[in-house]
């Protein structure tokens, strides 16, 4: 009986020390992320990285969340490898640098990505990190260039995409696909997309045709750009659309008449 009790204690000890103990590879990935910060209030020193500020692990010690919004992080952002990460929130810090394609390559379980309110720049990588991605907020940074149509290639579960207040330029054109040359699998692939915001950029050209295929859209907000042309009648198929904000663009009378005669 006493032996059984001692064994029980021993097992509980082994289980409790293992249940949250972080994988050493995860610990090194986190340390490599922290090492590129020039100023960091993080006190990431103890052995078990699952107990570090901002970190959540699953029961096997894989890091699933890295949540460090408004933590005064300063410095460059570089690719790190956390294969089980589902939530990444580094919003409202002072991170700079560009999102290289490698940044995303090893985050293929990612569901929520919030890098808003930083100083990130450069062009967007060719595609979103994972087919599980649901929410992307890259607003209020210094990203520029075009949003590649291939960006949405895997994004069949994307519900919210916010790139307000950057400097994206050029055509809002999702028609040329960089991966396979097919026509138009940009936004049209995003069958779950509910919110699409890209105000205060430098988008010009027409609305992409395949936006009308994202029939779950509830909000399209693209004010303060240089879009022009007309809205297609296909917009009647966006039956969930409650907010369509295209103000402060270059839409002419043709647009206004369609808007004006819209039944809803
Ligand atoms: C940093 O963490 C260690 C171990 O968790 C702790 O002993 C120490 O007090 C912490 N230092 C600061 C400045 O919070
Ligand atoms: C990121 O964290 C901030 C601060 O807690 C929060 O307001 C924001 O909603 C989070 N982003 C996402 C996408 O959950
Ligand atoms: C998309 O979402 C559905 C419902 O939440 C889920 O069952 C499916 O696994 C998700 N697809 C991917 C690729 O994550
Ligand atoms: C736009 O982004 C810049 C840079 O991140 C930020 O300082 C500014 O507050 C943002 N403006 C708005 C209206 O969010
Ligand atoms: C906006 O786009 C126009 C051409 O489409 C370009 O001439 C101008 O430099 C761009 N502005 C910024 C701030 O990138
Ligand atoms: C939109 O969907 C229709 C039918 O569902 C399809 O035939 C068409 O190719 C799609 N268009 C785009 C631009 O994805
Ligand atoms: C709306 O969608 C239906 C069903 O996919 C299609 O038959 C119809 O042509 C679409 N209407 C417009 C204006 O695109
Ligand atoms: C639950 C889960 O997805 N676990 C995965 C975490 O990452 C490792 C390394 O890639 C995988 O082997 C696990 O299956």
């Amino acid at each position: 009986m006493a032996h059984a009790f001692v064994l029980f204690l021993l097992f509980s000890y082994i289980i409790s020390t293992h249940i949250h103990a972080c994988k050493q590879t995860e610990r090194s990935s986190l340390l490599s992320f922290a090492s590129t910060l020039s100023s960091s209030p993080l006190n990431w020193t103890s052995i078990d990285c699952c107990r570090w500020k901002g970190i959540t692990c699953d029961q096997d010690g894989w890091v699933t969340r890295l949540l460090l919004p408004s933590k005064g992080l300063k410095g460059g952002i570089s690719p790190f490898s956390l294969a089980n990460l589902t939530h990444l929130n580094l919003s409202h810090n002072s991170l700079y640098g560009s999102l290289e394609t490698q940044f995303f390559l090893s985050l293929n379980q990612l569901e929520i990505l919030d890098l808003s309110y930083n100083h990130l720049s450069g062009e967007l990588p060719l595609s979103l990190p994972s087919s599980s991605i649901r929410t992307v907020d890259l607003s209020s940074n210094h990203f520029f260039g075009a949003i590649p149509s291939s960006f949405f290639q895997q994004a069949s579960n994307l519900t919210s995409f916010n790139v307000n207040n950057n400097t994206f330029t050029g055509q809002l054109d999702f028609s040329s696909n960089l991966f396979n040359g097919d026509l138009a699998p940009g936004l049209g692939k995003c069958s779950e997309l509910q919110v699409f915001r890209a105000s205060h950029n430098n988008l010009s050209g027409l609305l992409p045709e395949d936006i009308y295929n994202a029939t779950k859209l509830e909000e399209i907000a693209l004010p303060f750009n240089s879009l022009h042309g007309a809205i297609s009648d296909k917009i009647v198929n966006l039956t969930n659309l409650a907010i369509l904000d295209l103000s402060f663009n270059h839409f002419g009378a043709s647009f206004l008449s369609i808007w004006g005669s819209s039944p809803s």
Side-chain angles (χ1 to χ4, degrees):
M1 190 62 202
H3 283 278
F5 186 61
V6 168
L7 267 183
F8 170 74
L9 282 185
L10 189 62
F11 273 115
S12 319
Y13 176 73
I14 290 169
I15 287 166
S16 68
T17 51
H18 273 253
I19 208 154
H20 281 302
C22 86
K23 301 269 185 226
Q24 286 313 293
T25 48
E26 302 281 88
R27 189 176 192 276
S28 359
S29 286
L30 290 169
L31 287 177
S32 110
F33 161 75
S35 72
T36 60
L37 303 174
S38 58
S39 147
S40 145
L42 302 170
N43 181 15
W44 282 358
T45 48
S46 60
I47 297 293
D48 187 359
C49 72
C50 295
R51 292 166 193 258
W52 291 351
K53 184 199 273 183
I55 307 298
T56 309
C57 294
D58 66 10
Q59 73 249 39
D60 298 325
W62 297 101
V63 175
T64 55
R65 293 177 184 217
L66 175 52
L67 307 180
L68 295 168
S70 306
K71 290 292 180 295
L73 309 181
K74 287 198 177 75
I77 191 165
S78 61
F80 53 92
S81 165
L82 293 169
N84 301 78
L85 198 69
T86 59
H87 289 47
L88 177 60
N89 190 339
L90 302 174
S91 65
H92 294 272
N93 285 295
S94 303
L95 301 172
Y96 55 80
S98 63
L99 291 186
E100 296 160 49
T101 297
Q102 297 95 301
F103 180 84
F104 282 162
L105 280 184
S106 51
L107 303 178
N108 43 35
Q109 303 281 329
L110 203 62
E111 295 171 15
I112 297 181
L113 173 67
D114 189 346
L115 299 174
S116 61
Y117 291 91
N118 278 288
H119 308 302
L120 299 168
S121 59
E123 302 197 29
L124 293 186
L126 285 181
S127 83
L128 279 163
S130 92
S131 52
S132 310
I133 196 84
R134 289 188 278 121
T135 300
V136 173
D137 192 344
L138 301 175
S139 61
S140 293
N141 278 287
H142 309 300
F143 291 113
F144 57 80
I147 302 169
S149 61
S150 55
F151 197 66
F152 297 101
Q153 182 92 348
Q154 302 196 68
S156 55
N157 272 359
L158 188 67
T159 57
S160 174
F161 182 68
N162 186 354
V163 290
N164 283 351
N165 189 26
N166 281 282
T167 332
F168 291 108
T169 55
Q171 302 274 322
L172 183 70
D173 179 358
F174 297 88
S175 62
S176 65
N177 183 276
L178 297 173
F179 280 168
N180 57 20
D182 280 348
L183 279 182
L187 281 178
K189 286 250 164 151
C190 303
S191 56
E192 301 298 319
L193 191 64
Q194 295 170 347
V195 175
F196 180 54
R197 297 192 184 123
S199 72
H200 296 87
N201 283 289
N202 195 14
L203 302 172
S204 59
L206 309 168
L207 280 181
E209 272 293 297
D210 66 345
I211 204 169
Y212 307 111
N213 271 24
T215 52
K216 291 214 175 137
L217 273 168
E218 294 168 10
E219 176 177 348
I220 302 174
L222 304 167
F224 298 97
N225 282 294
S226 304
L227 299 164
H228 69 269
I231 304 291
S232 159
D233 350 334
K234 290 183 192 149
I235 199 152
V236 301
N237 269 10
L238 300 184
T239 50
N240 296 303
L241 197 64
I243 297 173
L244 174 64
D245 186 353
L246 299 173
S247 56
F248 300 96
N249 277 285
H250 302 314
F251 290 103
S254 56
F255 162 64
L256 291 174
S257 71
I258 286 171
W259 184 307
S261 65
S262 158
S264 54

